[in-house]
Amino acid sequence: MTYGCDCPDIACPSLLTSSDQFKELQLHNVTFLSDFLPLFLKQLQSPTLGFLIGGIVVAALGSQLAIPDSIYKFISFFLLMKIGLTGGIAIRNSNPAEIFLPALAAVLVGIVIVFIARYTLGKMPGISVPDALATGGLFGAVSGSTLAAVLPQLDSAKIPYEAWSAALYPFMDIPALVTAIVVASVYLSKKSGHTSEKVEIWPIIKESIQSSAVTSLLLGVALGILTKPEPVYESFFDPLFRGFLSILMIIMGMEAAQRMNELRKVAQWFAIYAFISPILHGFLAFGLGLIIHKITGFSIGGAVVLAVIAASSSDISGPPTLRAGIPSANPSAYIGASTAIGTPVAIAICIPLFIGIAEVMLAQ
Amino acid sequence: MTYGCDCPDIACPSLLTSSDQFKELQLHNVTFLSDFLPLFLKQLQSPTLGFLIGGIVVAALGSQLAIPDSIYKFISFFLLMKIGLTGGIAIRNSNPAEIFLPALAAVLVGIVIVFIARYTLGKMPGISVPDALATGGLFGAVSGSTLAAVLPQLDSAKIPYEAWSAALYPFMDIPALVTAIVVASVYLSKKSGHTSEKVEIWPIIKESIQSSAVTSLLLGVALGILTKPEPVYESFFDPLFRGFLSILMIIMGMEAAQRMNELRKVAQWFAIYAFISPILHGFLAFGLGLIIHKITGFSIGGAVVLAVIAASSSDISGPPTLRAGIPSANPSAYIGASTAIGTPVAIAICIPLFIGIAEVMLAQ
Amino acid sequence: MTYGCDCPDIACPSLLTSSDQFKELQLHNVTFLSDFLPLFLKQLQSPTLGFLIGGIVVAALGSQLAIPDSIYKFISFFLLMKIGLTGGIAIRNSNPAEIFLPALAAVLVGIVIVFIARYTLGKMPGISVPDALATGGLFGAVSGSTLAAVLPQLDSAKIPYEAWSAALYPFMDIPALVTAIVVASVYLSKKSGHTSEKVEIWPIIKESIQSSAVTSLLLGVALGILTKPEPVYESFFDPLFRGFLSILMIIMGMEAAQRMNELRKVAQWFAIYAFISPILHGFLAFGLGLIIHKITGFSIGGAVVLAVIAASSSDISGPPTLRAGIPSANPSAYIGASTAIGTPVAIAICIPLFIGIAEVMLAQ
Amino acid sequence: MSQQVWKLVIVAEEILSKKLIKLIKAAGATGYTVNAAGGEGSRNVRSTGEPSVSHTLANVKIEVLTGTRELADTITREIEAKYYADFSIITYIYPVEALRDHKF
Amino acid sequence: MSQQVWKLVIVAEEILSKKLIKLIKAAGATGYTVNAAGGEGSRNVRSTGEPSVSHTLANVKIEVLTGTRELADTITREIEAKYYADFSIITYIYPVEALRDHKF
Amino acid sequence: MSQQVWKLVIVAEEILSKKLIKLIKAAGATGYTVNAAGGEGSRNVRSTGEPSVSHTLANVKIEVLTGTRELADTITREIEAKYYADFSIITYIYPVEALRDHKF
Ligand SMILES: Nc1ncnc2c1ncn2[C@@H]1O[C@H](COP(=O)(O)O)[C@@H](O)[C@H]1O
Ligand SMILES: Nc1ncnc2c1ncn2[C@@H]1O[C@H](COP(=O)(O)O)[C@@H](O)[C@H]1O
Ligand SMILES: Nc1ncnc2c1ncn2[C@@H]1O[C@H](COP(=O)(O)O)[C@@H](O)[C@H]1O
Ligand code: NA
Ligand code: NA
Ligand code: NA
């Protein structure tokens, strides 16, 4: 079978019309699920996930354990450098043109996610539009830790993916943040009536690129392309990657438990959004990825990376940018939603989900 | 020969009665020592010890060198996680029932150590009972760094031990702290005459378990049992263990030198206690370990671990718990005694001592 | 050919007299350069350098990226410990007497550099003598990061060098700082007229040795000689060395960019001095190294190490010592000159330069 | 817009920080600000087991702005009763002018 | 040698620190001193995404010595206009005696 | 139980911290409290070689409570004599009420 009839029933059922096609898919779905479930469950046992849950439990039990801030900062830097280096080294011997369509898809998804939030979460009772936009921006933006978590699991599952696919990060991250901030300012100046002073877009882009997360990634890419970092890469960045990742997962888990209390204080719609949207965003991006796969031969693994990037919500670069860009939005709401629910869902559900789907597709 | 007649002359001479047996042991002792001394001296050259002494010298010479607090916290976390993971992975394919008797011995030793301090150190001129109890509690509790130091040396000496034996840590740590605090409160409320308001035991246990040290260890054990952390373990925790340990040894050495000044300010009885008791506690636990060895086949290496756990005195979890639990005790006295003398004695004397003894026993 | 006629035209043209010799050298120079340039360019692509430039760019673009102070401190400690251990382990099976002449040369260079600064930089319009002396002291002193950078590049270039040559660090570092401070105090008390209260030299030496940088190095050497750190060395210090070095290079690069602004505020003579003097100092030391090479068979690689130590300017130990020793000197001037220009020149120009020269010599 | 309030400063062993904060909130303060601090005093007890070689800031400095002198005095009285005897701690107070129209 | 000056204290979310410092310098203060700080208040917004489990000091405390009350008031007024509505921030002031002959 | 004391504040380059503390103790103060601090001033010398990119708090803030104004003045005078000329440093003082019956 081709992915042709796979794609719809996963990512774009709306495309379905004729009833025979539908029956066939019914049938197909059964076999699909029976293939998928065991793979999905296997994914759930990955150490990455274990460490995340471990962190949640530790914090929930009120342990004194704390990983110092400087260690957290170093690990984030290390992981994104490593991802960047891997990408940069690979780009050296690959055709940069290939990245065009996936990057376009990333930009698109980043922007669309914000509008989805605006017109779903933003319509809920007691949710202010700026709060909804800030939340959409954060969920459209990308989490370095989630990105770091999916790559080794793709490797373990032996699913090939374009090494540069991690470089899609900023292409979704920045447009999402920019859109959220711009739309919010327009909305607010409309509301306050007085003629809107134009929002400067460039400063927002600049701030996102200058954020430690994006800088680390791009620095890695640049060094990977321009220098010969193999000795350092093989002796340091590559072997230590999984270890530092596991520690970051513990931190993320502890943080999720901590932020829960904060989230409780705000409307539960944020929690609901935080649970559903990563999966939704993932499927949206995965669908686009499969379409590009059909068109250009972009790998299915690459589509998984794109999906997980979409499913992830920013934990490092996003919050400060949004806090500054949409000051009237309540950070407890959007950071709480992202850290307490969004990131765990992206790591614990979306990564196994899309890897599982990819495995089935590659198997068939 | 069996360990039967070894055990007594090492750990419980009091059991000896008949004079022939005695003569025989006299004789035996000679050969024993001639076997033991070279092994003991060899142990003294271990890098672990070298780094500890290096730290002491550096600090004594007043160097500006300082390992940042966050690095120290991360290393403690890392080492205890690794020890926990090793244990957890091993427990997976081992019979948990085996741990019962050794754990019981650990609890026993933890409690007894406190009473020993109460009725030896506590009887000395100018030593208040609360000070003695706090010191006993700290020396009954366990040092993660000392535990981390003994395991690789057992490996180098090719002495087998139950991988779960590190999990004995909390079984001695918590009872010691609880006993010290409870006995102290009872004593103080008796003294102050007015009807003693009962001491809550559970909060103390909770606080000990929630301490970063115990949490790190238990988190490692849990992850080792429940997830498949092998990839992370082999690429990160295992290879870096000795390195981070050596750096922790430098820190411990520097700290020992620093605390010396503090210790000088208090009665010298604390120093004397701090020097003798680790060896005494070690033999006490080693003896129990050998008895269990006789009964259940608990390994001699395991008995060494039990002995070193007993010889060690808490450096991370204990002090804050005791400070809160026995506020009237002078922390300069018990922390000084433990850090400036107790830990160096445990690492520099007790570890080589019991490994040396074990080697002789295994050789014979 | 022997190095005999190489040495002059590199390091001491002044020695040249007869015109035939001169012609021959002319000729020789051509072939020398044609051999040298490609090797020099190859050196410029080393990852070390790439990471340094990466750091400069990142900071120049105003990124938020920051490597925490505690990580920086740990990395400096780690790298110098590793260098010390390597040296110490090697010294064990080498003749300590060998180090005598090179150490003497190091002391000499350290002292001479200060006087060069005094009578070149110090004579420039608008440059105070104390400022010139402090700058000379800092450039005479040694940079741990630069030293750490040259050794792996010598290894990659397969140029053999005495493992103990890193131990030359303090022999140049301390005399330079002492000379600068002593000469400055003499100068100042002369100026202020009143009878100079003698400057205490010992405290300055003590402070330099107690500095974290020198302590880390000497601690490593001592542990390398006295203990058997091989297991720790092979599992930790050796494999992680290049990785931590690359991160230190990023920090150094960022710092260079930062300090540029500070340097701009002071007379440009500091910038000019900072650019020229490392190369000059390098050649001075390299020349002496080659002479010792002729006399005692000190390796050419060792001469490169000596040259780079001379070319480097202190970034850890020097500044506080000088700030305390010559308070009236302006730290923005000497620290700015050293960090913003001196260190980048030493790493980016001097290391490739002297390795390139050495390669040619060894090839011929 | 400005109001006269009291600033109560507490410097104590870090180990007390959680308990002091609980006490302060319970007493009814609208907030507090904490700093890591180091120092020496008449007793100068280093009560954490953490390496002082790395962990130099073993004290905590807590500042509480209170609308009334009574509240500040209550907090001090409770702290005194609970901790002065056994712990390394000092407290002092002075009047400041809060410029923001902020409930204290 | 001594002079009477005003000490203005600002406690705010760390995220504002760069902007506040710019504002303070622009207003004409001769300097400022910053501390990392933690705390809770009426709103107590934790605005960084950084793990609070590790990054506990999410506030910054800025102290500005001003020669005149006017300068201090100007700074406060600007801060109020720009940040009081949306950010977690308090300010207060009190007179101190600067012992060094230093231009404020 | 309460007593009127003086609070002397010193903000200086971190590099001076050990020397200042020695001076303060020698002068007879019963204690001191230190904070890591950052800041800018009229000279604002960054005197450590440590990367300012990571090491942002290059200043130290030292607070000394003194029972008498004389003691505070002595300390300031000595600091001025030794360090004002060459180092980045400011000092100021104000009266506070020490609530604990503590010898200052
Ligand atoms: N005279 C003082 N000036 C400033 N801080 C002090 C003074 N005395 C004590 N402190 C601070 O209060 C803490 C506890 O003081 P004490 O209870 O006297 O040991 C010390 O660690 C110092 O940080
Ligand atoms: N009553 C108070 N006393 C001391 N600090 C306060 C007080 N109220 C607020 N703060 C500090 O000011 C920050 C912002 O306060 P708020 O704007 O009320 O959330 C808090 O995080 C505290 O650090
Ligand atoms: N006007 C001011 N307000 C607050 N702190 C200041 C002020 N001026 C200087 N400082 C602090 O004192 C330090 C030294 O000041 P200076 O000697 O003027 O460079 C600066 O780094 C600041 O931390
Ligand atoms: Na996203
Ligand atoms: Na023990
Ligand atoms: Na030099």
Side-chain angles (χ1 to χ4, degrees), chain C residues 113 139-142 172 309-313:
Chain C
I113 287 175
F139 277 73
V142 179
M172 192 181 299
I309 284 179
S312 78
S313 51

Side-chain angles (χ1 to χ4, degrees), chain D residues 46-102:
Chain D
R46 272 190 292 156
S47 55
T48 63
E50 296 190 329
S52 55
V53 284
S54 40
H55 185 75
T56 43
L57 300 178
N59 284 349
V60 65
K61 179 178 163 188
I62 306 181
E63 299 169 330
V64 188
L65 298 183
T66 61
T68 66
R69 172 75 192 230
E70 288 61 42
L71 176 51
D73 288 342
T74 320
I75 294 172
T76 323
R77 225 174 298 105
E78 291 184 10
I79 290 178
E80 178 167 36
K82 280 208 179 120
Y83 303 114
Y84 278 176
D86 295 323
F87 293 90
S88 201
I89 185 165
I90 65 165
T91 54
Y92 54 89
I93 188 168
Y94 52 95
V96 305
E97 191 179 333
L99 296 180
R100 174 185 183 181
D101 174 17
H102 187 290

Side-chain angles (χ1 to χ4, degrees), chain B residues 67 255 258-259 262 323 331, chain D residues 13 45-46 48 52 54 86:
Chain B
I67 315 278
E255 184 60 11
Q258 290 268 335
R259 291 276 183 177
E262 229 167 320
R323 184 79 178 107
Chain D
E13 306 178 34
V45 181
R46 272 190 292 156
T48 63
S52 55
S54 40
D86 295 323

Side-chain angles (χ1 to χ4, degrees), chain A residues 113-191:
Chain A
I113 287 175
V114 175
F115 284 99
I116 295 177
R118 164 77 179 84
Y119 291 107
T120 57
L121 179 60
K123 293 293 185 198
M124 296 303 148
I127 306 286
S128 82
V129 171
D131 281 354
L133 284 166
T135 311
L138 205 57
F139 277 72
V142 179
S143 155
S145 53
T146 311
L147 176 59
V150 68
L151 301 181
Q153 295 191 54
L154 280 168
D155 298 338
S156 321
K158 309 229 175 339
I159 300 178
Y161 58 94
E162 289 73 12
W164 46 256
S165 50
L168 295 171
Y169 181 136
F171 289 98
M172 192 182 298
D173 195 61
I174 296 168
L177 295 171
V178 172
T179 312
I181 293 171
V182 172
V183 175
S185 338
V186 172
Y187 170 88
L188 286 167
S189 50
K190 271 234 193 60
K191 198 155 146 250

Side-chain angles (χ1 to χ4, degrees), chain D residues 30-33 63-65 100 102 104, chain E residues 11 38-44 59 87-90:
Chain D
T30 61
Y32 64 89
T33 299
E63 299 169 330
V64 188
L65 298 183
R100 174 185 183 181
H102 187 290
F104 287 113
Chain E
V11 181
E40 289 181 61
S42 55
R43 358 231 230 101
N44 179 42
N59 284 350
F87 294 89
S88 200
I89 186 166
I90 63 166

Side-chain angles (χ1 to χ4, degrees), chain A residues 195-234:
Chain A
T195 52
S196 74
E197 67 282 348
K198 252 186 94 326
V199 216
E200 301 266 333
I201 292 184
W202 174 236
I204 309 172
I205 298 179
K206 195 151 144 275
E207 185 175 355
S208 316
I209 297 179
Q210 290 178 335
S211 74
S212 57
V214 176
T215 306
S216 311
L217 186 76
L218 296 182
L219 177 60
V221 172
L223 290 171
I225 297 177
L226 302 174
T227 71
K228 302 210 170 9
E230 279 77 0
V232 183
Y233 182 83
E234 277 144 29

Side-chain angles (χ1 to χ4, degrees), chain E residues 29-34 63-66 100 102-104, chain F residues 11-12 38-45 59 87-90:
Chain E
T30 61
Y32 64 90
T33 299
V34 288
E63 299 169 330
V64 188
L65 297 183
T66 63
R100 175 186 184 181
H102 187 292
K103 263 221 47 30
F104 288 112
Chain F
V11 181
E40 289 181 60
S42 54
R43 358 230 233 101
N44 178 42
V45 181
N59 284 350
F87 293 89
S88 200
I89 186 165
I90 65 165

